[in-house]
Amino acid sequence: MPKRRRGQRNSTSGDIIAAVRQLVLIANDDLIAGILNRNGLVTGHGNRWTRERVTAHRSHHKIPVFRPAPDGNEPWLNLNKAARLLGVAPKTLRLAAEAGDIEGVHPLPDGPWIFSRRSPNRRLSASVIARGKTQNTPRDRIPTSKTYSSTT
């Protein structure tokens, strides 16, 4: 194992700390470890993330633990739950968030979107809902149904 040189630090990147602060709003430590590993991020010592390492990281940086709301009304929602709440498809909500129409946080490139239950502006979310519901399938597509011919 290489020796640490004078002035060299083995600390976790500030970007990872910020990502964990945001991910803890919607995910437990197991899920956060999986998300960090999927993005190719490693600990300060170059190890893969585990639940225990995420827990230790949270404790060291005084980041609170994720606790689901007892009544089921979470203040922070992932993409699927927020889309279900607004009544649109997840892709419609993601595109609206990427365009800046609805406030959402995307802390990691290959990670979840995070939405506040209170943050979507009602007027903007209404326009996104209207856009998502008006985009039907093209009219030139004719639904196919099975027709059976009777041959005797």
Side-chain angles (χ1 to χ4, degrees):
M1 183 167 229
K3 206 172 180 186
R4 199 169 75 196
R5 296 179 186 254
R6 184 175 168 197
Q8 181 181 358
R9 296 177 58 199
N10 287 346
S11 62
T12 306
S13 163
D15 295 338
I16 295 175
I17 297 168
V20 170
R21 283 188 196 281
Q22 292 173 341
L23 290 171
V24 79
L25 298 173
I26 63 165
N28 59 20
D29 292 347
D30 284 325
L31 191 56
I32 292 173
I35 292 168
L36 294 173
N37 288 328
R38 190 176 343 137
N39 281 279
L41 302 173
V42 293
T43 66
H45 293 287
N47 297 321
R48 290 181 50 83
W49 288 95
T50 62
R51 178 178 48 85
E52 292 81 13
R53 289 181 179 140
V54 172
T55 304
H57 177 78
R58 273 190 318 89
S59 297
H60 179 74
H61 292 285
K62 296 178 178 48
I63 300 172
V65 67
F66 169 73
R67 298 222 188 271
D71 59 356
N73 289 331
E74 301 291 334
W76 298 95
L77 306 167
N78 64 15
L79 181 69
N80 288 330
K81 290 180 182 177
R84 197 174 315 124
L85 178 72
L86 292 174
V88 296
K91 184 174 181 179
T92 303
L93 183 59
R94 180 182 54 82
L95 292 173
E98 287 175 353
D101 294 339
I102 290 183
E103 290 182 36
V105 179
H106 195 191
L108 296 170
D110 194 12
W113 279 89
I114 303 170
F115 297 95
S116 172
R117 182 178 289 274
R118 291 173 280 140
S119 95
N121 185 343
R122 293 297 171 198
R123 187 177 47 121
L124 289 176
S125 61
S127 68
V128 168
I129 291 169
R131 260 189 294 164
K133 289 186 177 179
T134 59
Q135 295 175 352
N136 294 328
T137 56
R139 296 198 187 275
D140 62 343
R141 290 189 189 167
I142 301 170
T144 59
S145 62
K146 292 184 179 182
T147 57
Y148 297 98
S149 63
S150 61
T151 56
T152 355

